[in-house]
Amino acid sequence: MTKSVLLIATACTLFIVASCNSKKEKKEEHTKFLITSPIKKDTSITKDYVCQIHSFKHIELRALEKGYLNEIHVDEGQIVKKGQKMFNIMPNIYEADLQKAKAEAKVAEIELQNTQLLADGNVVSENELSMAKANFDKANAEVSLAQTHLGFTNIRAPFDGIMDHLHVREGSLLDEGELLTTLSDNSKMWVYFNVPEAEYLDYIMSTDKDSKKEVQLLMANNKRFNQKGIVETIEGEFNNETGNIAFRATFPNPDQILRHGETGSVLMSIPFNDALIIPQKATFEILDKRYVFVLDNDNVVHQTEISVAAELPHLFVVNKGLQLKDRILVDGIRMVKNNEKIETLFAEPTEVMSKLAVYAE
């Protein structure tokens, strides 16, 4: 009796399992896969380029004369004004040279006056008078030269700026041309960034190439600089080693936030007009190539290679391999095979993309 009950229970179990499997297979056979079409619209992407930040003016201040550094009137990191005295080299020798030159000029002046009186009385020739005038001019030139050398002992700021590290201290014996410090005008900054050749060609051949391109600056603390920059110049040659060319953008720096030598990233917005856009989730990769499943009129899927021009959050801009009228598989790309016929459920591309929680301009 017990054996019969067991056989009946086993048979029931097998029937239930077989029934479930049959229902599952039937359900899989009638699975409808979500499909959509590409959408065409204007959009843009933001590309970032590593950059070097330079002051609008950045110069070295050097000693123009030999001598002892007598006084330093400024400090490291100080903001200085144009014409402000910064360094003083001991002037004693140059003051003495100036006094000597003035004395010699006075002698030459007296000699010229005496020669002029003699020439007026026809005592000396015109040549002697010309020689006296030449000696007087030479003496005055020596005075000007001595005054210039003396002026070099007072080193003043050539423009408004902020000074850097002091390379010398008071009492140092300076040689002519020795570095004292550097001075930077940070009122505006020149930001250099390298652009690959292909992107340079796209930029230079674009319809708005003659207009000033606005860019933004992402600083090292991952925050955006509060001023926008303008791309003003492109260097004349490509770097043969990297295949890049340098662009220069100018940023106003009214709050003196940026300093010479900083780094960051330039953010440039690149527009795409009438771009063909599809969801990223509709694509898959095989050996570094990207594909989608395109459906024909009989709902048979065909593996189709595409070329991606740009990437947006959750979206791809496609420039090759698809047309606007194509229907592509969105969900279940791992559940179908190439040349397989499937049942589909079409959704408008705007509806599909709205569910991707993405914003595209």
Side-chain angles (χ1 to χ4, degrees), residues 47 49 195-204 247 270:
K47 300 206 69 171
Y49 305 88
V195 175
E197 183 176 356
E199 295 178 19
Y200 158 78
L201 291 173
D202 289 340
Y203 176 87
I204 207 67
F247 281 46
I270 301 176

Side-chain angles (χ1 to χ4, degrees), residues 30 51 59 78 101 112 147 168 182 187 213 270 276 283 296 298 324 328 338:
H30 293 86
C51 66
I59 64 167
Q78 180 178 336
L112 175 60
Q147 287 176 332
V168 292
T182 55
S187 58
K213 181 73 173 179
I270 301 176
L276 203 64
T283 69
D296 61 19
D298 297 323
L324 185 62
I328 60 173
N338 193 28

Side-chain angles (χ1 to χ4, degrees), residues 3-15:
K3 188 175 181 180
S4 299
V5 173
L6 180 60
L7 289 172
I8 293 171
T10 302
C12 290
T13 302
L14 291 173
F15 177 77

Side-chain angles (χ1 to χ4, degrees), residues 91-226:
N92 303 47
I93 295 176
Y94 302 102
E95 288 174 346
D97 287 342
L98 177 59
Q99 292 175 0
K100 178 183 176 182
K102 286 182 176 180
E104 291 175 350
K106 186 65 176 177
V107 171
E109 182 182 8
I110 294 172
E111 289 180 352
L112 175 60
Q113 290 174 350
N114 291 337
T115 306
Q116 183 68 56
L117 290 174
L118 294 174
D120 291 342
N122 294 321
V123 176
V124 297
S125 67
E126 289 292 327
N127 286 338
E128 290 188 34
L129 179 60
S130 297
M131 287 289 295
K133 287 181 179 179
N135 288 333
F136 177 67
D137 291 340
K138 180 183 178 182
N140 283 331
E142 293 291 340
V143 172
S144 296
L145 182 61
Q147 287 176 332
T148 300
H149 283 290
L150 180 60
F152 286 161
T153 63
N154 286 319
I155 300 171
R156 299 177 181 273
F159 52 78
D160 295 352
I162 184 169
M163 64 173 288
D164 192 27
H165 175 68
L166 286 169
H167 292 267
V168 292
R169 296 293 183 268
E170 286 187 6
S172 300
L173 178 60
L174 304 178
D175 287 326
E176 184 178 340
E178 186 165 346
L179 179 63
L180 304 176
T181 188
T182 55
L183 186 66
S184 302
D185 180 356
N186 294 338
S187 58
K188 59 181 179 180
M189 308 300 288
W190 282 350
V191 178
Y192 293 88
F193 58 101
N194 293 321
V195 175
E197 183 176 356
E199 295 178 19
Y200 158 78
L201 291 173
D202 289 340
Y203 176 87
I204 207 67
M205 295 172 67
S206 62
T207 55
D208 60 346
K209 64 178 181 179
D210 295 327
S211 61
K212 297 294 185 180
K213 181 73 173 179
E214 278 194 353
V215 292
Q216 291 185 301
L217 176 64
L218 188 68
M219 298 181 292
N221 61 355
N222 210 33
K223 294 183 179 180
R224 295 198 181 195
F225 184 51
N226 59 10

Side-chain angles (χ1 to χ4, degrees), residues 297-309:
N297 293 333
D298 297 323
N299 283 347
V300 176
V301 297
H302 299 280
Q303 181 176 305
T304 303
E305 183 181 351
I306 62 171
S307 174
V308 175

